[in-house]
Amino acid sequence: MGDTQVFHYGVFLMKAGMSPYRQIIDFNMPGSYWFDFLGTTLFGSSDLGWRLYDYTLLSLLAFATISITSTCDWFAGLYAAVLFALIHASEGPLATAERDEVMTVLVVVGYALVFLGVRYRRPVHFFTSGICLALAATIKPTAAAFEVLLTVTALFQLRKEGVRTFPFLRAIVVATLIILAATLMFLLWRSSFNAFLMRALPLGAFYSASIRPSFPYLLHYSTPRGLIPLLPLAGLLFFLNRSWRDWRFRVIVGGAILGLASYFAQTKGFAYHRYPFVAFALLWCGMEFTAALRRGRLIGAIGGAGLLIGAVLIAPFYLYRTFNFVQTDLISMGLVNDLERYPSDKLNGRVQCLDGVAGCYSALYRLRLKQSTGLMGDQLLFSSHPNPAVDTYRDEFMNEIKSDPPLIFVETSYRFGDPQTFDKIDAWPAFAEFLRTNYALVGEGPGDLRTQGADPLGYRIYLQAGSQLTATTQ
């Protein structure tokens, strides 16, 4: 569901021989596809496999946070990991193994490895940390800031302890260069380097500019409700515990600040964009609360209150939200049933989605059907936001479908950042005329959306006029 279908289907197209960015038109970073490939390879392509992958990520996060806090109180790491998992689960299946979740896990694991490197004075831990942090940056470039902050802070601490820092710096720099070289080699191997520069970067800029909620909106959704009562207590204890003296606390607080900056930098206000902030903020809270228990009665009472609020109020709140979350993939389910009525050998390579993330790509992925083109999202084609790239991509798409017309178009009413409507194709009059002249509406779902109006998400199936392709009756 959601963004996951784009990466699943993108990996499917790559396995079918298509080149990312050159033939598969998308703006996401290479690491997003690598980790989708890793998850589906290890756990399979089923929905259950993807859920197991999500559980594995959350387990890795727990191991990392417990490792980070093991020198002071391991329970702080467990506290942070469990609350993070509950907040994540309460946001529904759309957030399962999202890019920002994978990035967050890699960053926190990178933190844990550097903490081990400082504790045991071993540069190899800095090397493995550099691998994790650089991989995180191949998913979202904002992750690079975490590596800089962590490296500088840890090196200063080692120097303060009288340790020669060059081997540690060399280890993390070499690891980062290895991942950069691997990324470059991947793009060159798939003949996609120039396309990545010419397509992905401009498309990413278009996507970033297409939805820009107001700052009050971003601020309002920047912090999960469960964190709101915890952060003031942690802030108070930061001074009462004199935590600023400990480099570990400073770098954790810095991670929370960078996580919040990453959320605002993405300018969308999506819940999963807050994951780095949430993970580090919860880790900081857990460390402050458990540290306070070892101090005087008043300070200990504040720390105990923070732990109790998390266990007695916040955890049950998110459990309730998780168990009562209802979200169904109606479009994908209905579309799979409708497309199965046509011979799959006739449809393979001859069906085209006009969709964003509403379910068309999910349906094609489940049916293992290859698209007519490599278009991954119709935001540019039917955009209501002026952009110099729009005409270029419209011309390219029109040339492709005219040279080898699809037998079937699947249009969803999904519009990124705009009201849902099937009339979105009218934003490109030439294509709307082409579709209505050469194709006939033969099906729609998940209900009679023509009478329901424009609000519900739905899909329409258009069959090429004069085609001998027929659907079997159900």
Side-chain angles (χ1 to χ4, degrees):
M1 297 180 67
D3 293 339
T4 297
Q5 66 186 294
V6 173
F7 301 110
H8 277 20
Y9 195 62
V11 170
F12 167 73
L13 292 180
M14 289 182 207
K15 290 180 178 179
M18 296 182 69
S19 296
Y21 311 114
R22 182 168 59 88
Q23 295 172 306
I24 304 172
I25 312 304
D26 192 30
F27 63 89
N28 289 287
M29 295 289 287
S32 301
Y33 292 100
W34 296 347
F35 283 94
D36 189 285
F37 173 80
L38 176 66
T40 53
T41 300
L42 291 177
F43 300 100
S45 60
S46 69
D47 294 340
L48 175 60
W50 199 244
R51 176 60 64 190
L52 293 175
Y53 178 46
D54 189 59
Y55 288 159
T56 302
L57 291 172
L58 295 174
S59 299
L60 288 173
L61 181 74
F63 282 120
T65 55
I66 291 171
S67 174
I68 288 171
T69 61
S70 60
T71 56
C72 48
D73 194 323
W74 64 268
F75 183 76
L78 181 64
Y79 174 89
V82 170
L83 288 183
F84 179 89
L86 291 174
I87 292 172
H88 166 66
S90 73
E91 289 164 359
L94 284 173
T96 304
E98 254 290 1
R99 291 158 292 172
D100 293 74
E101 180 190 355
V102 180
M103 181 192 79
T104 299
V105 172
L106 288 169
V107 169
V108 176
V109 169
Y111 263 63
L113 290 167
V114 162
F115 277 41
L116 289 173
V118 173
R119 186 188 312 169
Y120 296 112
R121 314 288 176 82
R122 293 176 181 172
V124 66
H125 289 111
F126 275 64
F127 178 82
T128 50
S129 173
I131 295 292
C132 291
L133 293 165
L135 282 172
T138 67
I139 300 173
K140 292 287 180 75
T142 53
F146 293 93
E147 182 173 7
V148 173
L149 170 68
L150 180 61
T151 303
V152 171
T153 308
L155 291 178
F156 269 105
Q157 179 63 24
L158 286 169
R159 185 176 181 181
K160 183 179 179 181
E161 296 175 4
V163 179
R164 184 168 172 263
T165 58
F166 179 73
F168 297 85
L169 176 61
R170 178 180 57 198
I172 202 166
V173 169
V174 168
T176 303
L177 291 176
I178 288 174
I179 298 303
L180 288 175
T183 305
L184 178 61
M185 290 175 63
F186 168 76
L187 294 173
L188 292 175
W189 169 53
R190 302 309 297 257
S191 302
S192 298
F193 179 72
N194 290 336
F196 175 74
L197 297 179
M198 300 301 294
R199 286 188 189 272
L201 298 181
L203 284 175
F206 164 80
Y207 173 79
S208 297
S210 58
I211 294 183
R212 287 191 176 273
S214 65
F215 181 78
Y217 177 94
L218 292 174
L219 186 63
H220 177 75
Y221 290 101
S222 64
T223 307
R225 294 179 184 178
L227 259 179
I228 294 174
L230 300 181
L231 290 176
L233 295 178
L236 176 62
L237 289 174
F238 185 74
F239 296 98
L240 295 178
N241 289 333
R242 299 182 179 180
S243 301
W244 70 84
R245 295 181 175 182
D246 191 326
W247 75 277
R248 296 169 301 177
F249 281 80
R250 293 197 301 270
V251 79
I252 294 296
V253 172
I257 293 172
L258 287 179
L260 193 60
S262 174
Y263 163 82
F264 280 104
Q266 296 185 72
T267 69
K268 294 292 180 288
F270 296 157
Y272 56 84
H273 287 172
R274 339 180 266 202
Y275 281 178
F277 165 62
V278 173
F280 280 106
L282 286 171
L283 184 56
W284 173 47
C285 290
M287 292 170 66
E288 293 289 358
F289 297 156
T290 54
L293 294 178
R294 297 187 294 272
R295 299 179 64 84
R297 290 183 179 180
L298 177 60
I299 298 177
I302 297 173
L307 293 175
L308 284 174
I309 290 172
V312 177
L313 296 179
I314 297 173
F317 169 73
Y318 283 111
L319 278 172
Y320 175 80
R321 288 188 59 179
T322 299
F323 290 138
N324 289 275
F325 196 102
V326 177
Q327 188 170 54
T328 53
D329 192 11
L330 291 177
I331 288 182
S332 176
M333 292 161 56
L335 186 55
V336 166
N337 292 333
D338 282 345
L339 292 180
E340 279 184 324
R341 297 167 58 199
Y342 297 92
S344 60
D345 59 327
K346 301 293 185 181
L347 280 189
N348 197 34
R350 303 296 304 279
V351 59
Q352 178 62 50
C353 288
L354 302 173
D355 184 27
V357 292
C360 183
Y361 296 107
S362 178
L364 296 191
Y365 177 75
R366 294 174 190 279
L367 294 170
R368 298 300 188 267
L369 291 175
K370 187 178 177 182
Q371 265 199 142
S372 293
T373 75
L375 180 73
M376 298 295 290
D378 61 3
Q379 294 95 322
L380 267 173
L381 301 184
F382 311 119
S383 173
S384 60
H385 306 277
N387 188 281
V390 169
D391 290 339
T392 300
Y393 286 93
R394 284 179 175 177
D395 290 343
E396 183 177 328
F397 181 73
M398 185 66 84
N399 289 335
E400 282 193 77
I401 61 174
K402 282 187 174 180
S403 64
D404 187 14
L407 289 175
I408 282 180
F409 275 102
V410 177
E411 179 198 5
T412 72
S413 58
Y414 175 85
R415 297 183 78 197
F416 180 70
D418 291 305
Q420 318 304 331
T421 175
F422 289 114
D423 294 336
K424 65 182 182 180
I425 61 174
D426 292 329
W428 184 11
F431 176 79
E433 178 65 20
F434 170 82
L435 185 66
R436 289 163 181 160
T437 301
N438 298 285
Y439 291 80
L441 178 64
V442 294
E444 60 183 331
D448 187 359
L449 300 178
R450 287 175 294 185
T451 60
Q452 291 178 8
D455 289 334
L457 274 174
Y459 65 87
R460 288 178 174 176
I461 299 175
Y462 295 87
L463 180 65
Q464 187 180 35
S467 171
Q468 300 302 311
L469 189 68
T470 57
T472 60
T473 58
Q474 292 183 327

